[in-house]
């Protein structure tokens, strides 16, 4: 006996299809908003060098978009979504740019204080820096916060408020800031990317609002799903016209004009500059090595080249200039110079010619005690108190010749030459709010010395590997609220800024006038000159003596042979040996330049075969993240292309008999390609997890837990779906049962749980009525019901080849007329069904 399925009852006049998914429940909305933010942020290439910042922004935008998508799928209020996105941004900032967060990523009082210092350093770098500035950690932190806030605002306007057009003003502001700051023209492609992203944002919104609204094509759409609506075309044309007009008529915020236009703005002003402050904690940014000066006339002498000095210490921040340098005064540098402290003019002078190559700053480095400077314009001034040559604006420096006294005093002369504090400018002796432990340590180290030189030498000798100090491009994790005490007593790890800052404070703590000098080490001999590069940037200490003036003490260990150990520090065998094999010179982490990596370290190993230097952070998580991300991106492109082709077939209500079948729908070729979306998602999660692990393992663990918690139900449901589809496609004996169970799960996920007590036909009627299946869907459902009944009740179930295409039509109709919400995707109700 063969059962025949009678036609299902349905209304003579089909009900119109419901509108497509609303904008706020679509994944395209946050994706389009995130891409618009990222593409607009490319305008930062005009003011920040390198591309390290883009990686931070990518992570921030993805986290913000994912947080918004997840919470909106749970119907969380808009204010809750926004606050959660801000919290995620704060966790990222804490984990990436501070060392004292709770479990690395949760902000506590110490982390917030450290973050405040980082932002202050960024503000100072912006104040004195010349675009494009180096992507130092403070700058990266500031950029991540700024663009992260923009991402939250754009996501809220575009998704929650369903007003993506309003994001145009926000994105325009993103362009306005770098355009106003950049001295060179912004790259043309950043405007193209921004315009394309904004047009895409409007296009996606237009498609959601207008395409096939209640089964009627909107004006301007035609029959193609890829055709842009008329409003979007108008907006795109307006953007293009605005760019063309801006190129021809105005500078639009840049110095000169947009790319392709004619302007008078000065280009090519990029170069190296150092900044007038140090920091006590942070990370040394190591960038590309660039030659800055060619020095003629030094011969074989190894000398420190001083750019400027710092006289004011601020606890938990570092050294800087009094009143931020606003009180600095000087005399014309190309006229007769007043005698420098310690130079009576009696000794011989050395003529040294300095030729800047890539130096752009308002400081001009000099050697020793200058007596005359030739070749400078009238706007260059010499400050005899600070020992610096400067001007009021940053500029390309000319070649100049310095006549200098570079005679070194002897140890015996210095021992008899204690400074009279009453005659020393007060800014070189004052030190306030120093941690009592630091003062006690300084007094302990110098208690057996009777003169200032021996005290200074005792402090200088303290910063050695024998006492646990090591050079590193990153300071140790914070364990104390006072950064200086933490470095001296606990961490004992850092680069030149920390060493020079610590020694200078300890000198003042025992009554010895001191200051921090910023400049360069001895450089590299090349033929008839010495080459000074950005890799030579350095900080050291200068101590004041009554008749000898300012004398250099460099406490930073140097490894690669560029150490400058003067004669007055070489007689002590223990000290000399220790400091002559010290570690790599480094630029201040807060300065615009970045020093290079240690050179020739393998040739400077100690007797035990080690350098005492901490190993750098492993790169393998970042490398693995890049590989996985590349694979994920490739698979995502393939999956999107296949999905787009299927979508076009899905949106075609009927196909003519003469037209070729483009694709058999969702049941064709049930092989590994149908698992591409799941594989791509897994690779993306792994890539972001390893990228987060490069910042903090706790952050990576939290990211995996969150993404795993959100994605596991979806993944389980998707795996079950694809296994059933494989059974249907292969026409296995269990194909009919798999089709019916999958249909019940599809309905349950859409909010229509079917009772196990319903007959197949009763359940079919409920599906038609609840989900408003169109004619194609009803026809396919009749076929599916017939196959299922024959499979369940017939003695000889047939190998029915119509099941696959019919079930495909049912799924297409469900997608057209009852699209699944993201809540149903993330938390499928079918997983809670008892009857599996």
């Amino acid at each position: 006996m063969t059962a025949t399925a009678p036609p299902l009852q349905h209304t003579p006049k089909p009900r119109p299809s419901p509108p497509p998914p609303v904008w706020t429940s679509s994944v395209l909305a946050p994706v389009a908003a995130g891409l618009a933010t990222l593409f607009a942020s490319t305008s930062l290439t005009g003011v920040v060098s390198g591309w390290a910042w883009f990686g931070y922004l990518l992570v921030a935008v993805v986290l913000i978009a994912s947080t918004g998508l997840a919470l909106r799928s749970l119907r969380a209020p808009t204010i809750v979504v926004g606050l959660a996105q801000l919290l995620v941004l704060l966790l990222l900032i804490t984990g990436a740019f501070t060392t004292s967060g709770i479990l690395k990523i949760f902000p506590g009082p110490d982390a917030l204080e450290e973050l405040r210092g980082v932002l202050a350093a960024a503000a100072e770098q912006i104040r004195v820096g010349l675009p494009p500035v180096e992507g130092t950690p403070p700058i990266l932190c500031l950029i991540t916060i700024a663009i992260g806030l923009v991402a939250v605002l754009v996501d809220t306007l575009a998704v929650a408020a369903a007003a993506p057009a309003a994001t145009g003003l926000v994105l325009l502001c993103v362009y306005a800031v770098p355009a106003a700051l950049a001295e060179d023209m912004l790259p043309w492609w950043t405007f193209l990317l921004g315009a394309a992203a904004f047009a895409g944002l409007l296009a996606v919104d237009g498609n959601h609002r207008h395409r096939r609204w209640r089964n009627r094509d909107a004006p301007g759409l035609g029959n193609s799903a890829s055709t842009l609506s008329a409003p979007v075309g108008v907006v795109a044309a307006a953007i293009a016209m605005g760019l063309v007009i801006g190129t021809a008529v105005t500078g639009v915020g840049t110095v000169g004009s947009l790319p392709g236009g004619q302007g008078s703005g000065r280009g090519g002003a990029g170069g190296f500059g150092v900044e007038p402050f140090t920091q006590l904690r942070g990370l040394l940014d190591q960038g590309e090595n660039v030659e800055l000066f060619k020095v003629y006339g030094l011969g074989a002498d190894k000398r420190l080249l001083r750019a400027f000095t710092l006289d004011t210490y601020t606890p938990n921040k570092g050294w800087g200039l009094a009143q931020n340098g606003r009180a600095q005064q000087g005399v014309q540098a190309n006229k007769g110079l007043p005698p420098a402290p310690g130079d009576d003019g009696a000794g011989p002078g050395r003529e040294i010619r300095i030729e800047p190559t890539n130096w752009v700053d308002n400081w001009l480095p000099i050697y020793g005690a200058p007596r005359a400077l030739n070749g400078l314009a009238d706007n260059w001034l010499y400050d005899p108190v600070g020992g610096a040559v400067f001007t009021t604006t940053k500029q390309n420096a000319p070649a100049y010749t310095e006549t200098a006294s570079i005679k070194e005093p002897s140890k015996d002369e210095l021992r008899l030459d204690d400074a009279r504090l009453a005659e020393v400018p007060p800014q070189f002796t004052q030190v306030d709010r120093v941690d009592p432990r630091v003062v006690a340590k300084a007094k302990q180290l110098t208690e057996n010395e009777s003169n200032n030189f021996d005290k200074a030498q005792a402090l200088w000798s303290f910063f050695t590997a024998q006492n646990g100090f090591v050079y590193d491009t990153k300071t140790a994790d914070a364990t104390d609220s006072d950064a200086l005490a933490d470095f001296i007593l606990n961490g004992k790890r850092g680069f030149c800024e920390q060493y020079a800052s610590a020694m200078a404070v300890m000198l003042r703590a025992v009554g010895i006038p001191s200051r921090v000098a910023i400049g360069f080490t001895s450089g590299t001999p090349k033929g008839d000159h010495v080459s000074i590069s950005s890799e030579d940037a350095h900080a050291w200490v200068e101590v004041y003596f009554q008749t000898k003036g300012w004398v250099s003490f460099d406490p930073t260990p140097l490894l690669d042979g560029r150490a400058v150990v003067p004669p007055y520090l070489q007689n002590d065998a223990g000290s000399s040996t220790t400091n002559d094999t010290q570690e790599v010179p480094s630029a201040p982490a807060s300065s615009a330049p970045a020093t290079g990596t240690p050179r020739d370290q393998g040739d400077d190993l100690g007797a035990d075969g080690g350098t005492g230097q901490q190993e750098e952070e492993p790169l393998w998580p970042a490398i693995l993240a890049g590989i996985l991300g590349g694979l994920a991106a490739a698979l995502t492109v393939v999956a999107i292309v296949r999905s787009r082709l299927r979508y076009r077939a899905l949106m075609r209500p009927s196909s003519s008999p003469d037209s070729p079948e483009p694709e058999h729908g969702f049941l064709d070729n049930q092989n590994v390609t149908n698992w591409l979306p799941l594989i791509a998602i897994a690779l993306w999660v792994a890539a972001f997890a390893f990228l987060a692990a490069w910042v903090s393992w706790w952050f990576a663990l939290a990211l995996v837990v969150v993404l795993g918690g959100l994605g596991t139900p979806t993944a389980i449901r998707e795996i079950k779906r694809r296994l059933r589809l494989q059974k249907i496609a292969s026409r296995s004996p269990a194909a009919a049962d798999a089709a019916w169970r999958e249909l019940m799960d599809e309905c349950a996920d859409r909010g229509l749980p079917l009772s196990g007590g319903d007959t197949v036909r009763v359940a079919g009627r409920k599906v038609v009525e609840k989900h408003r299946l169109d004619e194609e869907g009803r026809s396919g459902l009749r076929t599916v019901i017939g196959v299922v009944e024959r499979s369940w009740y017939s003695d000889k179930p047939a190998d029915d080849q119509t099941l696959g295409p019919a079930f495909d039509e049912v799924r297409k109709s469900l997608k057209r007329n009852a699209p699944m919400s993201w809540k149903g995707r993330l938390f499928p109700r079918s997983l809670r069904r008892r009857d599996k």
Side-chain angles (χ1 to χ4, degrees):
M1 176 179 174
T2 303
T4 303
L8 293 175
Q9 294 182 358
H10 58 276
T11 56
K13 187 176 182 179
R15 298 181 182 180
S17 299
V22 294
W23 169 254
T24 55
S25 65
S26 170
V27 71
L28 292 178
V31 169
L35 287 178
T37 302
L38 284 175
F39 286 177
S41 70
T42 58
S43 60
L44 295 173
T45 54
V47 292
V48 182
S49 61
W51 281 93
W53 53 270
F54 192 78
Y56 288 93
L57 298 190
L58 177 61
V59 173
V61 170
V62 169
L63 290 177
I64 290 169
S66 301
T67 302
L69 180 62
L71 292 179
R72 291 186 186 106
S73 68
L74 300 176
R75 302 186 183 277
T78 300
I79 185 65
V80 174
V81 175
L83 291 176
Q85 290 174 324
L86 293 176
L87 177 61
V88 167
L89 178 62
L90 179 59
L91 295 180
L92 174 63
I93 295 298
T94 303
F97 299 104
T98 69
T99 59
S100 54
I102 302 171
L103 298 180
K104 298 292 186 181
I105 62 172
F106 295 99
D110 292 340
L112 293 177
E113 178 64 22
E114 186 178 352
L115 185 59
R116 187 184 66 83
V118 172
L119 294 178
E124 183 65 17
Q125 184 173 342
I126 292 174
R127 188 183 71 83
V128 301
L130 182 69
V133 298
E134 194 72 25
T136 60
I139 291 296
L140 294 178
C141 179
L142 182 62
I143 289 175
T144 306
I145 292 175
I147 300 301
L149 294 176
V150 169
V152 173
L153 182 57
V154 170
D155 186 79
T156 302
L157 290 174
V159 185
T167 64
L169 182 60
V170 180
L171 299 176
L172 181 62
C173 292
V174 175
Y175 279 95
V177 174
L181 295 176
E183 293 192 353
D184 206 352
M185 295 180 295
L186 294 182
W188 63 269
W189 50 264
T190 184
F191 293 96
L192 180 62
L193 286 177
F198 184 61
L201 185 63
L202 297 179
V204 174
D205 179 39
N207 285 338
H208 272 271
R209 293 178 184 275
H210 303 297
R211 186 192 304 138
R212 295 188 60 80
W213 176 254
R214 300 188 67 84
N215 278 351
R216 294 194 301 270
D217 290 337
L221 278 172
N223 295 323
S224 173
S226 60
T227 306
L228 293 179
S229 62
V232 173
V234 172
V235 171
I239 293 175
M241 291 179 61
L243 292 176
V244 172
I245 295 173
T247 301
V249 178
T250 178
V252 191
T254 61
V255 178
S257 67
L258 289 172
Q262 303 296 322
S264 59
R266 177 173 60 89
F272 183 100
V274 291
E275 300 182 4
F277 57 85
T278 67
Q279 63 181 22
L280 296 174
R281 285 177 176 150
L283 175 68
L284 174 63
D285 182 35
Q286 296 178 320
E288 181 182 359
N289 189 32
V290 178
E291 184 183 62
L292 304 176
F293 303 97
K294 295 179 179 179
V295 179
Y296 298 85
L298 274 182
D301 287 351
K302 298 178 70 173
R303 304 284 178 174
L304 293 170
L305 179 61
R306 181 179 65 248
F308 53 84
T309 60
L310 307 176
D311 52 32
T312 303
Y313 169 72
T314 303
N316 277 330
K317 288 187 177 181
W319 286 79
L321 288 170
Q323 301 182 31
N324 289 326
R326 289 187 292 270
Q328 191 173 20
Q329 298 180 351
V331 298
Q332 274 189 244
N334 58 2
K335 306 295 183 181
L337 301 182
D343 180 23
D344 57 7
R350 174 85 63 88
E351 283 198 359
I352 305 171
R353 180 166 178 78
I354 304 174
E355 295 181 359
T357 54
N358 290 289
W359 179 256
V360 180
D361 209 340
N362 56 328
W363 308 98
L364 210 55
I366 55 176
Y367 287 97
R371 293 179 176 174
L373 290 167
N374 298 316
L376 298 180
D378 293 343
N379 61 328
W380 288 99
L381 305 176
Y382 171 66
D383 174 18
V385 177
V389 178
F390 68 98
T391 188
T392 55
T393 58
K394 292 193 174 187
Q395 55 189 269
N396 289 288
Y400 57 100
T401 300
E402 176 192 6
T403 303
S405 171
I406 56 176
K407 179 182 178 181
E408 299 282 12
S410 68
K411 179 178 295 191
D412 292 336
E413 290 175 332
L414 293 175
R415 280 187 173 133
L416 301 174
D417 197 20
D418 286 358
R420 292 188 287 272
L421 296 182
E423 301 178 9
V424 179
Q427 65 264 34
F428 300 117
T429 59
Q430 294 175 348
V431 60
D432 300 322
R433 295 180 292 161
V434 178
D435 191 289
R437 293 169 294 174
V438 175
V439 177
K441 187 64 177 178
K443 291 181 178 179
Q444 175 195 347
L445 293 171
T446 59
E447 62 183 354
N448 296 325
E449 309 300 340
S450 58
N451 58 80
N452 284 357
F453 172 77
D454 286 336
K455 290 179 181 180
Q457 187 180 34
L459 294 175
W460 174 79
S461 300
F462 169 65
F463 297 97
T464 61
Q466 286 83 348
N467 291 320
F469 286 92
V470 293
Y471 174 89
D472 197 354
T473 57
K474 183 179 180 181
T475 56
D477 290 344
T479 60
D480 196 291
S481 59
D482 187 88
L484 180 62
D486 199 18
F487 171 74
I488 294 174
L489 304 176
N490 303 321
K492 297 185 177 182
R493 182 179 300 277
F495 43 98
C496 60
E497 282 197 44
Q498 288 78 49
Y499 286 100
S501 297
M503 182 177 173
V505 171
M506 295 176 80
L507 284 165
R508 291 195 183 182
V510 294
I512 301 176
S514 63
R515 64 189 185 186
V516 174
I518 304 294
F520 304 90
T521 57
S522 56
T524 304
K526 290 186 177 181
D528 61 344
H529 69 278
V530 172
S531 176
I532 306 291
S533 70
S534 58
E535 201 172 62
D536 298 307
H538 196 46
W540 63 94
V541 177
E542 292 185 345
V543 180
Y544 186 77
F545 292 87
Q546 189 64 37
T547 61
K548 302 303 179 184
W550 292 102
V551 177
S552 298
F553 288 77
D554 185 4
T556 306
L558 302 173
L559 267 179
D560 60 357
R562 289 179 294 175
V564 179
V565 184
Y568 48 84
L569 293 176
Q570 291 179 358
N571 296 336
D572 221 298
S575 298
S576 175
T577 302
T578 298
N579 283 274
D580 197 31
T581 60
Q582 291 174 357
E583 303 176 16
V584 166
S586 59
S590 57
S591 61
T595 61
T597 55
R599 298 185 299 182
D600 302 325
Q601 293 186 17
D603 298 333
D604 297 286
L605 298 177
D608 60 351
T611 63
Q613 180 175 348
Q614 183 189 35
E615 294 183 2
E616 295 182 357
E617 292 289 336
L619 292 177
W620 66 265
I623 296 174
L624 191 55
I627 296 174
L628 293 176
L631 292 174
L635 293 181
T636 301
V637 171
V638 175
I640 289 175
V641 171
R642 295 184 75 248
S643 176
R644 188 61 180 171
L645 294 176
R646 288 172 168 176
Y647 182 77
R648 290 181 178 179
L650 174 66
M651 294 305 297
R652 188 177 296 117
S654 62
S655 300
S656 63
D658 299 332
S659 62
E661 184 68 25
E663 201 172 353
H664 291 295
F666 290 90
L667 301 179
D668 68 313
N669 300 325
Q670 293 293 335
N671 49 33
V672 69
T673 58
N674 288 60
W675 296 85
L676 285 181
L678 283 177
I679 298 173
I681 291 172
L683 288 175
W684 279 120
V685 172
F688 278 107
F690 279 108
L691 188 62
W694 198 30
V695 176
S696 166
W697 283 107
W698 281 105
F699 182 48
L701 180 61
L703 183 64
V704 170
V705 169
V706 171
L707 294 181
L710 292 175
T712 298
T714 303
I716 294 175
R717 174 69 182 93
E718 191 65 24
I719 291 173
K720 292 179 64 176
R721 176 185 292 115
R722 294 182 184 277
L723 290 175
R724 289 167 177 168
L725 295 181
Q726 286 182 341
K727 291 180 181 180
I728 299 171
S730 62
R731 300 197 296 273
S732 72
D737 188 65
W740 187 249
R741 292 181 182 275
E742 178 59 26
L743 180 60
M744 294 184 72
D745 283 355
E746 289 276 358
C747 292
D749 293 340
R750 288 171 166 80
L752 178 64
L754 299 177
S755 172
D758 291 340
T759 65
V760 176
R761 299 187 185 188
V762 171
R765 292 190 185 96
K766 290 183 178 179
V767 173
V768 171
E769 293 173 359
K770 174 67 176 179
H771 297 314
R772 303 177 181 179
L773 296 188
D774 50 25
E775 184 58 39
E776 293 82 5
R778 289 194 294 270
S779 176
L781 182 58
R782 286 193 292 269
T783 301
V784 171
I785 289 176
V787 174
V788 170
E789 288 183 331
R790 288 195 299 271
S791 172
W792 288 359
Y793 306 121
S794 175
D795 295 334
K796 296 179 180 180
D799 180 14
D800 200 326
Q801 299 182 6
T802 62
L803 176 61
F807 188 73
D808 190 20
E809 289 297 335
V810 175
R811 297 185 72 235
K812 286 181 179 180
S813 182
L814 286 173
K815 288 180 178 293
R816 284 194 297 266
N817 300 281
M820 192 180 302
S821 67
W822 274 98
K823 183 178 181 180
R825 295 176 184 270
L826 291 175
F827 305 101
R829 296 184 182 181
S830 59
L831 296 181
R832 300 194 294 269
R833 288 181 58 241
R834 295 181 180 179
D835 181 18
K836 300 298 181 185

